Amino acid sequence: MKKTQTKILLVDDEPDILEIVGYNLAQEGYQIVTASNGKEAIAKAQKELPELIIMDVMMAEMDGMEACEHIRKIPELNNVIITFLTARSEDYSQVAGFDAGADDYITKPIKPKLLVSKVKALLRRLKEQEVVTDTLNVGGIEINREEYKIIKGNLEIALPRKEFELFYLLASKPGKVFKRDEILDKVWGNEVVVGGRTIDVHIRKLREKIGEDLFKTIKGVGYKFEV
């Protein structure tokens, strides 16, 4: 087993969960840090600066939602990936989780191999975020930001500026759910006052030009790009 520098913070008020999940991830070489409630999670996150936080939703003292909101306000943790760990029986809203700042969620109980695969996928997303480049190659689509050019197969697709910037944003982090407010801020900024329907119209046009199945709607939250 090769030990990596990747650090994962596990947050759960059930010792058995911490032990089982921690053991399986440690077997893959990840460095594991644990916390038993939201307040402890915030302190550990600031101290340890993990790449990934896997956090239970329902906990005493401070639940996962509130802890996630606090962590998202800490500048040095801007790039940390946060995924909620939630039981099927819990009254958990995915929309509420994304609104709190989560990137994803894992439903428990979960088989160890599936958990490891999920974690690897989340960490690949982090590596994609760290790569700054003018050219992206995602799902067989080449996106050249410098030339505002998109090539799918042998076909060059011309997009208006805002459609291109929206597509580039979504494609830069495949699988990540971009909330409407984030899309408006990063694509339109302070240029003009636009409404949510503007995003919907641009997404519709991207689906028509690039692929219907590539752009997923997360109802009440926003959109993501999947390949």
Side-chain angles (χ1 to χ4, degrees), residues 32-75:
I32 305 302
V33 181
T34 62
S36 59
N37 59 63
K39 287 184 178 179
E40 187 181 358
I42 295 169
K44 286 284 183 73
Q46 285 183 290
K47 179 182 178 183
E48 301 290 344
L49 300 179
E51 283 80 9
L52 170 65
I53 298 175
I54 302 175
M55 184 155 50
D56 189 23
V57 176
M58 308 298 287
M59 295 182 290
E61 291 194 47
M62 181 186 289
D63 65 27
M65 299 279 191
E66 188 177 352
C68 182
E69 289 176 344
H70 279 278
I71 290 170
R72 285 299 181 212
K73 295 175 183 177
I74 301 172

Side-chain angles (χ1 to χ4, degrees), residues 88-163:
R88 293 181 187 275
S89 60
E90 291 175 350
D91 183 17
Y92 170 72
S93 165
Q94 293 179 35
V95 173
F98 289 130
D99 284 344
D103 295 289
D104 211 332
Y105 72 99
I106 296 171
T107 303
K108 58 182 178 182
I110 184 171
K111 294 181 179 179
K113 286 186 178 180
L114 183 57
L115 171 68
V116 170
S117 295
K118 185 78 170 178
V119 166
K120 287 180 178 178
L122 288 167
L123 290 171
R124 278 198 300 272
R125 183 185 305 175
L126 178 63
K127 289 181 179 179
E128 288 165 356
Q129 289 177 209
E130 292 172 344
V131 177
V132 179
T133 178
D134 284 329
T135 303
L136 291 177
N137 285 281
V138 186
I141 303 172
E142 181 179 316
I143 312 165
N144 188 316
R145 191 174 190 179
E146 189 174 25
E147 298 180 13
Y148 274 70
K149 182 189 296 183
I150 294 172
I151 299 175
K152 184 179 181 183
N154 295 320
L155 179 66
E156 183 171 329
I157 303 171
L159 295 177
R161 180 165 164 260
K162 289 303 179 186
E163 286 181 33

Side-chain angles (χ1 to χ4, degrees), residues 140-188:
I141 303 172
E142 181 179 316
I143 312 165
N144 188 316
R145 191 174 190 179
E146 189 174 25
E147 298 180 13
Y148 274 70
K149 182 189 296 183
I150 294 172
I151 299 175
K152 184 179 181 183
N154 295 320
L155 179 66
E156 183 171 329
I157 303 171
L159 295 177
R161 180 165 164 260
K162 289 303 179 186
E163 286 181 33
F164 181 94
E165 290 179 357
L166 174 57
F167 179 46
Y168 188 92
L169 174 67
L170 297 177
S172 68
K173 300 176 184 178
K176 171 181 166 58
V177 178
F178 287 85
K179 292 190 289 186
R180 288 177 172 274
D181 288 348
E182 184 177 3
I183 293 173
L184 288 173
D185 180 62
K186 291 186 175 180
V187 176
W188 279 271

